[in-house]
Each structure stands twice: as C-alpha cells, then as structure tokens.
Amino acid sequence: MTYVAPAPSIGTEDEEPGDPRGAVRRRHDEAGPHPTPSDVHVPAPGGPIRLSVVVPTRNEAENIPLLLSRLGPALRPLDAEIIVVDDSDDETPAVLARHAADARVAVRLLHRPPGARHGGLGGAVVLGARHARGEWVLVMDADLQHPPESAAMLAGIAMRHDVDVVVGTRYAGEGSNEGLDGAAREATSSWATRVTKSLFPRRLSTISDPMSGLFAFRRDAVDLDRVNPIGFKVLLELLVRHPAARVAEVAYEMAPRHAGRSKASLREGLTFLRHLSRLRSQRLVGQMRERPAAARDRLRELVRMIAFGLVGLSGMVVNTAALWFFYEAVSLHHLLGAALATQLSTSWNFALVEALIYRRNRHGSLAGRAARFFLLNNLLLLLRLPVLQALVWAGVGILTANALTLVALFLVRFLVNDRVIYTSGSTGRRDPVRMLVNLDTPEAAAAPSRKRYQYLKYRYDVAGVVTIGSQIMLPELEFFRAGWVADSDVDIAVRVSDVGGRGPRRRAAMTEYAHQSVLRYEEHLGRLGANFRIQLGSPIDIQVGPLLARSPHVVYTNIVEALLRFVLVSRGHMLLHSACISLNGVGVMLSALTDTGKTATVLRLLRDHGGLFLSDDMTLISPDGVAMCFPKPLTISAHTLRAVQAQDLTPAEWRRLQFQSRLHSKGGRSLALTLSKFNVPIMGINAITQRLVPPPKYSVDRLVPCRIGTSTRVEELFIIERGTPRIGELGQAETLERMIQNTDDAYGFPPFRYLAPAITIGDQGYAQLREREREILTDFLSHVRSRVVASDRFGWADEIPRLLREERGDLPVIQPQVVLPAWPQWNGALAPTGVRA
Ligand code: GDD
Ligand code: MN
C-alpha cells in the first residue's frame, strides 16, 4: 500500500519521545494486510481535491444511503472526496457501492477484515487520514448524529480560517448534545469531558468538547505517526499530542442516531480509561524530561530547587512536630500519625510554595493546583509508609525514620512540582483567545440602545472610494473629514454600544454567527472590556463598547482599518503598507520593516527637496500604478524628530515625546505582542495604555513645511534596510512577496488574526479578497521600478535623491511652487494631479 509521506508538522517540538512499543506496534501494523482504498465512485474529473471526509463505519448499512444523499449536496462547493474506513461484518460495503453515485463526489472504501482492525474507531480514522488527498481532513460519524450539512459547514469554515484544528462542539455557544441517547449517556459524556480537561488543563484549556467525534484538521499540521489512538477519542489524542496547533470550535446540534445501534459499550468505556491513562502517563514522562536548555534557565531551576528545599525543611519541622503530637501526645498509631502529619505539612508547604516560589507560574485554578499538590504528596506517602515501618522495625526512632523518608523523596517532589504542576509551559502554547462559530440559532438582533443616540456625527470620505460614518472622532482619518456624506451613503458605520455579556469571563472570545455575518469579540471584563461587534452588511456596522470608544486609535487601527482595507479591495484598490511622496513630479514609494527609519527618511526628503507628501504608513494604490494620498498623522519617535529638527514642538511636547516614543516603539509593540500570547485582555490593556499615553502623532506639516499631494503615478519603489550599504535591483516576484509580507506584518496585532478570516464583503470571502488584493498589487508593481537600498548610517535620504538625480536630472532643493486644484478633489477621476512639469 502507498502511504502519504508525513509532511513536516508543527507544534510537536516539546513532545515526549514516542513510545517505542507504540512505534513497533505501528510498524508491525503497517506491514499488515491493509487493503489500499478501492474507488467505489469516480465522478467526472474536476479540480484538485481540497477536503477528504473520513467516515469510520462499523455495521452502518442502514445509515449509508441517507448519509450519502445528504452529504453529497453539502460537500459540492468544497472539492471533496469521501473515504469510508469500514470495520463492518454486515453489508455496509455493498450498500456503499450501490449508493456511492448519490454523493456525486469521489467515494473510496478501505475495508479492514477481522483481525486487521487495530485501534478500532481511532485506528480507522488515522488510517483514513493517511490516504487523504485533500489539504484538510474532516472526520464524522456515519449514523447522522453529525448532521451532514453542519459537518460540511464546519469543514468550509475550517478551510477559510487560519487554524489547524476545528472542533465541532456540543458544549459551547448554540451547540447541544441532545442527540445522545439518554440522560445517563449525556451525564457520562459531560463528566468525562470535565475529568479529561482537568487532566490536561493547559492543552485543553480553550476546548469545550475535546471528546467530539466531529472535527477537521489540516493534514500537514498533524503528525499521524505521533497519534496512535485506541478507541473512540481520536480528537483528544490529536489535541494532546499537538500542543501548539491553533484550534477553533464550531457549535452544532448533535442529532439522534438515525438507525442501528451505538457501538459505545462498557468495553469502550474501559478502553477510554486505558487511553486516558496512557496519554497522561506518556505526557508525564515527557514533562519530567523537559530539562531547561539554556544555562541561565538551568541556574534558575537550581535556585528554585534550593528555595523549594528550604520550604521543605520548614515543612519537615511542621511534619515532625505534628507526628510527635499525634504519636506521643494523642498516642495514635505511628503510621496514622505520619499520614495525618503529612496533610498538615502539605498544607504548610503548599501555601509557601504558592506564595513564594511559583508566584509567576500559577496556571489554572487554585483548587486544581492544590488537588495536584495533595495528590502527589499522598501518593508519595503511600511509598513512604512501608519504608517507615521497615525502619521502625530496624530500630530507628520514629521521628528520625519519618524525616529520612521525607528527605529521600525530595528530588521527586521538586521535579514533579517544577516540571508538571508549576511548569511555565512556554513551549507550544495555544492561542489564548477562544474562537467559536455558531451554525444554527441566529443571535437575537441587538435592539438599538435607547440610552444612546444613533447619529453618526463624524463623516469621512476616503479618496472618493469608501465612506465612513462614526460616533467617535477618528483622528487618523481627519484629512478625509467630509460633512457632505449623507447618512444613507455610509459604507462603514461605527457606533458606541454595549457589546457582550454582563459578567466577567475567563478568556477572550471571538464568536461568529455563520448565517448572519456577525462577529463579536469579547474580553474578560464583561461590558467594561474592549468588546466589539461587527455586522458585515451594507453598511458594515461596527459597534464598540464604552472602553474602546475612549480609545479611537485602537478602534481605528485594530478594527476600522482592517475593514476599510477589504472594502477598498472589493472596489479595486489596495491599502499598501508603505510611504509615498512625489519628488519633482516623480512618485516615490518607500517601504521598510517597522522602526527602520522610514518616517525620518520621508521627513528629510521633504525638508531637503520639497515635494508633495502622500502617505507615511499606508498608501492607497490602484492597479494602474497610481497612488492616492492617505495622510494619517505620523507616529514619530524622538530620534526621528532629531533627524529633521522640528522647530514647532513645544518644550512640553518634547518632554512627553521621550516617554511616548519609548512606549509606542518597536519594543513596546513587541512586548504587547508577547503579552497577547497569554490569557490577558490585550485589547483592553492596549486601549487603556493609549488612553493614558497617547501615541505621538503629528500631522506632517507640523514637522516639516510641505504640501499634500492628492495622487501621483508611482515610478520608483525603494525598500530601505539597515545593513552594509548596497543598492540592488529587485525582481517583480520578490517585490510582490516582500510587500505582501510587510503589509501582513502591519496587521499582525490581535485581534485581526481572529477577525480577518470571517470578513466577507458582498459575496467575496476572505480568501478571494486576499487573492484580489494580490492581483491589484501585482498590476500596480508592474508600473514600478523596485530597488533595495541598504544603509548603515541612516543615509537613505541622501542615497535616494542621488540616484534620482543621476538618472533623471536635477532635483530641486527648495520647495517648488505647487498649485493644487481645489479641494476636495475626488470625482472618481484618479489621474495623477501632481506637479509634473
Ligand atoms: N471503522 C470503525 N471501526 N468504525 C467504528 C468502530 C470501529 O471499531 N466503532 C464505531 N465506529 C463508527 C460507527 O459506525 C459510527 O459511524 C462512528 O464510528 C461512531 O460510532 P457510534 O457507535 O455511533 O458512537 P457514539 O455515537 O456512541 O459516539 C460518538 O460520539 C462520541 C461523543 O459523544 C463518536 O463520535 C465518538 O467518537 C464520540 O466521542
Ligand atoms: Mn453515534
């Protein structure tokens, strides 16, 4: 048989080395008599397969016809194939052959004869996935408990989002598990879920239904050689073995079984327990072996060990005193006395360890950590008691014997605490934000709050292409303020409203309603948090909570600009991360990674050579090579300003700038990015920070005397870099990739990543919009000469004019007399109105 070569996988770097017995078993198993999948139905050739639907079956003959006829239409838009992995003893294969054509998509069958049914349901799923031809694998049951329409929708959502695993959940949002037969089964299922989650508190923290049988995963994000599930819980195995996989959930309603009987049995229950204990113990071994790699971290570990030893020493005093009390004063049996003394000293130690040693590594709940701490010490107590007895028999005094057993287990106690209970778990961290998509029940439309007025006080007309109306002032768009825009013409509306639930929540969540194009982002603080809700219609309706309403920079940068970007794309323009000026009539564009010195270069070029300013951060471009101005206020640093010596700032502004620029620098940004990987209300923190210390933003003509140009034909693109001085020509393809990457970087801050994939404008989804954006950029670049200019002394503002002068004749050194046409100038006419003589 042929195996799909395992693709490089992500998120397994901190994994325990594979269980060698498992590996042997697998190898033996693979050599076994597995059939290659046989084609049951081959449809007329279409495009390449993107999705493989793996359906495990065991005696499901009665369910196959309905399954195929409902799955067929649902899968049609997804370029799918169906792989049935069958362990049946009934006529399932024959029925499948008879009805396969109903599915319209390719249907393949892997029938495992008795004796080759390794791993049961789990083994079947892994085998099916090995044969998957699609980039995505969807796993679902055959008994219609997973409604085929919901399953297909889940796959569609998965393929759209930037995630690795998508879990169909019955326990979040609008999901339900009513399809499980009987209250007993429902209760077992939800209890099993709770117990399992508490065994893997970090790896399953954001997942509400780790036992689900309905899920999808990206084929190359999963290392199938690493997953070796026994029994029913394939998803659990997958999630535990891939700690860094990015997970989203889709809430669906589980239906009752259509026909036939469930294969869940007491035996499956026992298999599940075996599976769970194997997973847990392998993980434990893995954790115990996670030795810090860096010398500095090993030193820290040593310091913790000494501290732990000191706490333990104090605990031993407590323990000995207690044992003396129980044994001598109360005259209890010495073993009972030792057991009771251990409970006291454990409480003592726990309090100290929590408060003194691991203050910064406390994960999960206090009760959870306490439970683990006590469990460990009591397990060790079981080991200690026989040794204690033996020592007593050997004539050692009871207090001394007790102390000896305590000391002997010190290292174990420390390692389990340090690497398991209080591990910093820095490797392979899951996204802290929960992503949930609701399939079925629509959200009740939020009635406009009567507390607040609805009027959009501030109107903006962005280059005649997109209009925005807002209840809060958006300083970034000040240049585009347009009182003439009618309320009914607004493309994007920003209103202040109460968004999200009242109470606090344990983590931030992005919730989507698939049918309604509604998405809602909520953070920990309930209504006080940085919440927002977007309804993607026309107009696009953005509601921001009161905290965000006070931080217009955050609203603009993190929400409005992201949407504006894609509305622009749908209308044939792109917001490109770059600066643009017009020098002597030549459109010059600059691009750089953050904090290279782009802004300073722009300012110096304008100061030394005049010219028109169009943009510093984002430029509005169109396919014909024309750039239109997008003059947001410039974010500057003190060092940028020194480069141009802005005379116009007051001493107070200067002083503030030192502080502001430190906070809003690359360092500040990357600190925030790091923070955003933890479970903190990052947008709220951002909003409050920006409220307290606003970013240093100044309009360009406060910094250098200049004029703003409406549009220009861009002829030169310079990508500026720090490094050994050089000038290099850049090919179209490479420029394209760099500019796209650079623009993506500009949108790297959360929650963009969670919100973007849900964006649809008109009938174009996120992927199509991205594709369109790429085309616009490709066309634009075909009109532009691109070069890299590297400098090690911020010399770009000298190099670029030198190049232009050499190639195009003299550049004026003073401001040319520019006559700008009457403003506003947007009539849909995009012809350059620069100063070309
Ligand atoms: N190939 C194969 N081999 N398929 C099997 C086997 C097996 O040994 N055992 C069961 N199946 C198939 C069934 O034919 C069905 O399509 C699917 O796996 C689920 O089996 P059910 O018997 O219907 O299981 P369930 O409804 O009790 O459990 C479902 O829900 C659980 C959550 O409550 C499954 O999806 C579980 O994976 C899930 O954990
Ligand atoms: Mn079932």
Side-chain angles (χ1 to χ4, degrees):
M1 75 190 275
T2 51
Y3 280 117
V4 181
S9 66
I10 62 136
T12 55
E13 30 328 79
D14 74 331
E15 269 305 334
E16 49 278 0
D19 150 32
R21 278 180 308 134
V24 171
R25 198 161 50 224
R26 250 180 343 256
R27 222 169 293 127
H28 169 79
D29 180 58
E30 284 166 9
H34 283 317
T36 39
S38 51
D39 290 318
V40 183
H41 175 65
V42 184
I49 285 166
R50 292 175 55 220
L51 171 69
S52 298
V53 184
V54 172
V55 186
T57 53
R58 172 130 190 240
N59 302 343
E60 301 288 0
E62 294 158 275
N63 290 316
I64 294 289
L66 188 58
L67 174 72
L68 292 176
S69 66
R70 278 175 63 184
L71 202 50
L75 288 181
R76 202 156 313 146
L78 298 176
D79 305 315
E81 64 171 349
I82 298 176
I83 303 176
V84 176
V85 189
D86 182 51
D87 291 345
S88 296
D89 302 314
D90 69 353
E91 65 281 21
T92 300
V95 177
L96 186 73
R98 236 177 296 135
H99 289 85
D102 296 351
R104 311 278 172 92
V105 299
V107 178
R108 297 194 290 159
L109 171 68
L110 270 154
H111 179 74
R112 300 198 297 180
R117 293 174 181 169
H118 166 73
L121 171 56
V125 168
V126 172
L127 182 64
R130 285 193 191 278
H131 290 282
R133 290 181 288 192
E135 181 198 346
W136 275 88
V137 176
L138 168 70
V139 178
M140 66 182 290
D141 292 353
D143 59 359
L144 298 144
Q145 280 192 289
H146 302 147
E149 299 75 20
S150 306
M153 233 184 290
L154 181 147
I157 290 164
M159 291 155 80
R160 232 189 11 249
H161 282 71
D162 190 17
V163 291
D164 303 311
V165 180
V166 175
V167 177
T169 177
R170 301 160 286 176
Y171 299 120
E174 323 288 352
S176 95
N177 69 349
E178 265 157 41
L180 280 182
D181 29 282
R185 189 66 210 276
E186 269 179 44
T188 323
S189 169
S190 78
W191 267 101
T193 303
R194 252 174 260 176
V195 170
T196 308
K197 277 183 64 119
S198 71
L199 285 178
F200 301 98
R202 267 177 299 274
R203 292 186 179 206
L204 302 180
S205 61
T206 54
I207 295 136
S208 62
D209 196 354
M211 322 281 257
S212 176
L214 173 65
F215 58 95
F217 58 92
R218 197 188 292 279
R219 177 64 189 79
D220 65 9
V222 165
D223 182 352
L224 289 176
D225 290 331
R226 235 174 221 296
V227 291
N228 183 22
I230 44 174
F232 274 35
K233 310 304 174 188
V234 193
L235 174 65
L236 172 66
E237 170 98 13
L238 214 118
L239 291 171
V240 172
R241 303 272 192 213
H242 295 82
R246 295 161 305 166
V247 183
E249 294 196 317
V250 172
Y252 79 102
E253 280 184 49
M254 192 177 195
R257 191 170 237 281
H258 173 63
R261 284 211 322 218
S262 167
K263 279 73 191 176
S265 57
L266 190 59
R267 204 167 132 212
E268 279 305 334
L270 294 178
T271 309
F272 168 57
L273 292 181
R274 198 153 55 85
H275 186 196
L276 211 54
S277 74
R278 187 184 77 181
L279 213 49
R280 186 59 260 187
S281 56
Q282 284 179 6
R283 181 70 203 115
L284 199 66
V285 171
Q287 282 173 312
M288 297 293 281
R289 285 194 198 154
E290 270 161 27
R291 204 159 161 260
R296 206 182 50 180
D297 292 333
R298 278 206 292 275
L299 188 69
R300 285 210 184 116
E301 193 184 46
L302 187 69
V303 171
R304 284 199 304 271
M305 191 163 99
I306 293 169
F308 195 88
L310 291 176
V311 168
L313 221 53
S314 76
M316 232 164 79
V317 174
V318 173
N319 193 306
T320 309
L323 177 57
W324 176 86
F325 175 76
F326 290 127
Y327 180 66
E328 301 279 348
V330 194
S331 327
L332 291 182
H333 186 272
H334 60 274
L335 292 187
L336 181 59
L340 290 176
T342 296
Q343 307 315 312
L344 279 183
S345 62
T346 301
S347 311
W348 169 272
N349 285 352
F350 179 66
L352 290 184
V353 162
E354 274 275 306
L356 301 179
I357 307 181
Y358 294 109
R359 284 179 63 167
R360 260 171 294 170
N361 280 347
R362 295 192 299 213
H363 301 281
S365 63
L366 177 71
R369 290 190 304 270
R372 268 164 234 137
F373 198 89
F374 274 84
L375 182 68
L376 170 68
N377 283 346
N378 280 292
L379 286 178
L380 295 183
L381 175 67
L382 290 184
L383 289 183
R384 276 172 45 216
L385 289 181
V387 180
L388 180 61
Q389 186 59 54
L391 289 173
V392 170
W393 279 332
V396 183
I398 174 74
L399 295 184
T400 317
N402 182 54
L404 284 176
T405 63
L406 285 172
V407 172
L409 289 169
F410 166 75
L411 198 63
V412 180
R413 210 176 289 122
F414 170 70
L415 284 180
V416 174
N417 270 285
D418 203 65
R419 294 187 179 169
V420 181
I421 302 179
Y422 291 100
T423 172
S424 65
S426 55
T427 43
R429 188 182 288 281
R430 263 198 223 302
D431 272 341
V433 176
R434 266 182 96 127
M435 288 237 285
L436 177 69
V437 184
N438 282 298
L439 291 184
D440 295 319
T441 328
E443 185 188 48
S449 144
R450 265 183 288 128
K451 272 189 303 191
R452 300 194 173 87
Y453 67 93
Q454 293 288 301
Y455 184 69
L456 301 172
K457 192 166 165 194
Y458 304 94
R459 316 269 168 116
Y460 306 93
D461 178 350
V462 179
V465 186
V466 179
T467 56
I468 295 174
S470 172
Q471 291 193 319
I472 49 176
M473 188 176 167
L474 302 172
E476 272 83 358
L477 295 179
E478 187 56 24
F479 178 81
F480 297 112
R481 267 291 268 286
W484 65 85
V485 172
D487 194 38
S488 55
D489 292 345
V490 161
D491 297 312
I492 301 176
V494 183
R495 293 199 168 83
V496 183
S497 173
D498 292 320
V499 184
R502 275 175 205 285
R505 44 187 310 139
R506 285 172 71 166
R507 40 182 77 241
M510 180 72 83
T511 312
E512 283 176 46
Y513 289 81
H515 284 303
Q516 284 194 313
S517 316
V518 169
L519 47 148
R520 199 178 59 220
Y521 176 80
E522 287 165 83
E523 282 188 350
H524 310 59
L525 305 171
R527 292 221 167 132
L528 295 176
N531 303 344
F532 63 86
R533 179 183 184 277
I534 300 173
Q535 176 134 26
L536 293 154
S538 55
I540 292 173
D541 194 53
I542 304 173
Q543 294 178 1
V544 300
L547 176 63
L548 280 179
R550 287 158 171 273
S551 280
H553 291 305
V554 175
V555 172
Y556 176 76
T557 321
N558 294 297
I559 310 172
V560 177
E561 194 170 86
L563 290 161
L564 175 61
R565 170 178 171 193
F566 291 104
V567 177
L568 284 168
V569 168
S570 75
R571 299 183 180 174
H573 300 271
M574 176 187 182
L575 214 44
L576 179 66
H577 188 206
S578 62
C580 187
I581 56 176
S582 162
L583 285 179
N584 204 19
V586 178
V588 176
M589 187 171 257
L590 297 179
S591 166
L593 296 177
T594 358
D595 257 24
T596 305
K598 186 178 64 183
T599 298
T601 309
V602 166
L603 292 176
R604 273 197 54 206
L605 286 172
L606 290 173
R607 188 195 63 189
D608 299 345
H609 305 282
L612 303 177
F613 174 81
L614 283 95
S615 62
D616 172 63
D617 180 42
M618 293 285 169
T619 311
L620 190 53
I621 60 163
S622 45
D624 54 5
V626 170
M628 283 184 285
C629 69
F630 200 81
K632 295 195 282 189
L634 276 55
T635 313
I636 50 168
S637 61
H639 110 149
T640 305
L641 265 196
R642 261 187 298 277
V644 288
Q645 294 136 24
Q647 267 87 32
D648 204 34
L649 296 201
T650 64
E653 281 175 319
W654 263 112
R655 277 195 303 277
R656 225 172 325 135
L657 187 60
Q658 310 297 327
F659 186 61
Q660 285 172 300
S661 74
R662 211 149 291 154
L663 196 70
H664 295 280
S665 65
K666 194 174 178 180
R669 217 177 94 103
S670 75
L671 175 71
L673 262 178
T674 308
L675 260 187
S676 76
K677 300 204 172 75
F678 296 83
N679 182 18
V680 295
I682 186 64
M683 220 176 155
I685 294 175
N686 197 3
I688 292 168
T689 312
Q690 305 232 5
R691 176 102 188 114
L692 295 177
V693 187
K697 296 202 183 232
Y698 294 91
S699 14
V700 64
D701 58 356
R702 259 205 94 182
L703 305 174
V704 289
C706 72
R707 284 173 182 271
I708 291 177
T710 324
S711 66
T712 184
R713 192 169 287 285
V714 176
E715 297 177 35
E716 304 277 356
L717 165 64
F718 297 104
I719 297 182
I720 63 175
E721 287 176 354
R722 291 191 191 171
T724 329
R726 77 180 177 102
I727 294 161
E729 209 76 34
L730 214 55
Q732 287 244 349
E734 204 194 332
T735 315
L736 180 72
E737 290 316 320
R738 280 203 185 202
M739 297 304 277
I740 286 194
Q741 220 223 308
N742 198 289
T743 301
D744 282 344
D745 266 1
Y747 288 95
F749 201 75
F752 178 77
R753 191 154 63 72
Y754 307 106
L755 111 91
I759 294 179
T760 46
I761 310 281
D763 52 2
Q764 289 183 298
Y766 180 59
Q768 288 161 300
L769 289 164
R770 289 295 304 250
E771 194 45 46
R772 181 81 192 92
E773 190 177 54
R774 205 184 163 87
E775 287 163 15
I776 295 169
L777 182 57
T778 309
D779 288 347
F780 171 81
L781 290 175
S782 70
H783 300 272
V784 180
R785 176 179 184 191
S786 313
R787 276 178 279 188
V788 177
V789 182
S791 169
D792 52 7
R793 35 164 213 98
F794 302 92
W796 305 285
D798 305 316
E799 282 302 300
I800 290 168
R802 188 182 59 76
L803 285 173
L804 293 180
R805 204 173 288 124
E806 276 168 14
E807 291 156 12
R808 300 176 177 261
D810 233 9
L811 276 185
V813 181
I814 38 148
Q815 178 85 17
Q817 275 305 305
V818 182
V819 186
L820 277 178
W823 191 262
Q825 234 283 294
W826 320 113
N827 307 316
L830 304 180
T833 52
V835 278
R836 238 158 157 192

